[in-house]
Amino acid sequence: MSGAMDCDVLVVGAGAVGAVAALGLRRQGYRVRVLDAGQPMEAPTGEAIDPRVFALSPASIELLESLDLWPRLAPRAQGYAGMTVWDAVSGSDIRFRAAEFGLDGLGAIVENAALVSAAQAALDDVEFGAALAAVDETTDAVTVTTDDGRPVRARTLLLADGANSPGRQALGIAVSGRGYGGRAIVCHLRSERGHDVTAWQRFLPSGPVALLPLFDGRVSLVWSADDALADRLLALDDAAFSDAVTEATAGRLGALHTPTRRFAFPLRRQTAERFTTRRCVLLGDAAHVVHPLAGQGVNLGFDDLRALLVAMPDPDVGLRAAALRRYERARRADIAQMSQGIDGLDRLFSTANPAVSTVRGFGLHLADVVTPLKRRFAEVALGVKPGFPSASG
């Protein structure tokens, strides 16, 4: 190998997946550098809760525990042991409880800011304000040039720089997918009856609406709506908006009120045509984006990382091109299955067609009483692997 290496692995992107990936690889003996185009994430404090939250699966929590991050997150995390999903048209529902799957919990709701700030603080040496401008990949190395002209040479490049990944674009890797023609509206609200440490999701013909439990007793709203409905909801005053959410969730938690500022982001499904090249690997949203109805985006990114840590157990093995090929094989089938499953749920529930509604309602009831069907539904809707005990936090 010719020329000096600045590091074994260069990670571009210090968000949730990139920062945790860097920690995991350092734990396995790699010399890792991390570049991020933005600024450090501030840890949330007091009553202000980041509008963006993650529904972490038990497996994701275990990963964070193994990297000693969970104790930093636990005070602002809300574990939940139940989830109720119901159909607005047929009225049928399905209820998940952790114990029936051999789990201590179904997961935990954690703020993006809490997770990212904790991981960045643990790294302590992220090079912020360093945007990727170019990538030059050769047989034995890859060089990233930053926007201020600095070259960084590594044996492997990990791209965790988001759905619009500049690194992926620099490598010429195309994406496929589709837009859902709508937006997800997010905010937090207070509820008359509390949240009962349960995640709630109702499927409306216009899209699913979810209420996720927060550590301070509030709920986090994720309402996926077509563009016309999203425009109307965003234009409402707080009182009218709260009434709309209460009606959309059939008053399951009583009256909802006191919403925080609302945000909206477009709904889309996207998968990179390749997850790896000879010296580069895509992680998280840089590789795949799914509909938020199941809240599996960050969990899929952490699944990527676990597969990568298995493929790259130490620098002697993991810096070979064959290791990245193993990662590609391990992830592509799982991502396709999860993405198609979530897409199928959206297509099935986002219609008021009477015939489809009847079949859908019967299917939900059947799934609630037939264990194998319920386990499969749980894998898609919750990202849990039934039968594997785990701490929920």
Side-chain angles (χ1 to χ4, degrees):
M1 183 177 296
S2 61
M5 294 290 169
D6 294 298
C7 55
D8 294 326
V9 179
L10 174 62
V11 178
V12 175
V17 174
V20 174
L23 289 171
L25 289 166
R26 282 184 178 173
R27 185 70 64 92
Q28 296 195 168
Y30 290 88
R31 295 180 302 124
V32 180
R33 283 181 66 174
V34 185
L35 306 181
D36 190 276
Q39 296 301 314
M41 180 72 73
E42 293 186 9
T45 58
E47 295 184 357
I49 298 179
D50 186 355
R52 183 182 180 189
V53 300
F54 298 133
L56 297 179
S57 68
S60 292
I61 295 170
E62 287 180 353
L63 173 66
L64 297 173
E65 287 177 331
S66 73
L67 297 173
D68 301 322
L69 286 176
W70 190 248
R72 306 186 189 201
L73 304 176
R76 294 182 70 91
Q78 175 61 62
Y80 60 99
M83 181 174 185
T84 298
V85 178
W86 76 105
D87 179 25
V89 178
S90 70
S92 297
D93 64 13
I94 182 169
R95 299 168 187 247
F96 302 95
R97 295 295 178 265
E100 64 187 308
F101 301 122
L103 299 168
D104 295 329
L106 295 179
I109 307 302
V110 176
E111 298 157 272
N112 170 68
L115 175 52
V116 173
S117 62
Q120 290 178 351
L123 286 171
D124 193 39
D125 60 355
V126 178
E127 299 173 48
F128 290 104
L132 179 150
V135 178
D136 181 24
E137 187 178 21
T138 62
T139 301
D140 60 358
V142 58
T143 300
V144 165
T145 303
T146 64
D147 58 350
D148 62 1
R150 288 184 297 130
V152 183
R153 194 165 188 260
R155 297 174 71 185
T156 300
L157 170 64
L158 299 190
L159 294 170
D161 51 348
N164 296 319
S165 173
R168 185 189 65 227
Q169 295 178 41
L171 289 169
I173 298 176
V175 297
S176 60
R178 71 181 182 96
Y180 290 93
R183 283 165 285 170
I185 298 172
V186 299
C187 71
H188 307 319
L189 301 104
R190 298 194 181 278
S191 61
E192 183 180 11
R193 299 174 188 164
H195 52 57
D196 197 28
V197 293
T198 297
W200 306 84
Q201 185 167 56
R202 189 185 193 204
F203 283 97
L204 306 170
S206 58
V209 56
L211 298 174
L212 308 176
L214 296 174
F215 74 94
D216 69 349
R218 285 184 286 182
V219 292
S220 181
L221 170 74
V222 184
W223 189 341
S224 298
D226 58 52
D227 284 325
L229 176 58
D231 286 340
R232 292 197 297 273
L233 292 172
L234 292 170
L236 295 175
D237 63 28
D238 284 353
F241 178 75
S242 297
D243 290 343
V245 179
T246 301
E247 180 181 358
T249 54
R252 286 284 179 109
L253 300 185
L256 293 153
H257 59 92
T258 322
T260 59
R261 180 184 174 191
R262 283 161 260 168
F263 295 86
F265 58 90
L267 301 171
R268 59 174 164 165
R269 169 188 173 189
Q270 175 178 290
T271 305
E273 292 187 353
R274 290 181 292 161
F275 292 172
T276 64
T277 63
R278 182 175 179 84
R279 289 283 167 185
C280 304
V281 56
L282 276 59
L283 293 177
D285 287 354
H288 43 72
V289 176
V290 296
H291 194 294
L293 72 86
Q296 292 307 303
V298 76
N299 293 318
L300 290 176
F302 287 151
D303 288 345
D304 293 345
L305 174 55
R306 281 194 299 275
L308 190 68
L309 295 177
V310 170
M312 299 173 63
D314 60 69
D316 289 337
V317 174
L319 293 170
R320 303 170 189 169
L324 301 190
R325 290 196 294 271
R326 286 195 296 273
Y327 165 82
E328 173 96 33
R329 289 194 298 270
R331 293 307 296 145
R332 185 157 291 280
D334 285 348
I335 293 299
Q337 183 179 39
M338 178 61 77
S339 182
Q340 290 167 8
I342 294 173
D343 196 55
L345 285 178
D346 176 70
R347 293 176 185 273
L348 175 63
F349 284 94
S350 295
T351 177
N353 182 295
V356 175
S357 299
T358 299
V359 173
R360 185 173 66 210
F362 176 74
L364 269 181
H365 172 73
L366 188 65
D368 197 34
V369 298
V370 179
T371 299
L373 291 177
K374 195 168 188 177
R375 287 175 178 266
R376 177 58 187 142
F377 199 107
E379 290 180 358
V380 175
L382 293 162
V384 302
K385 304 299 181 184
F388 294 89
S390 169
S392 65

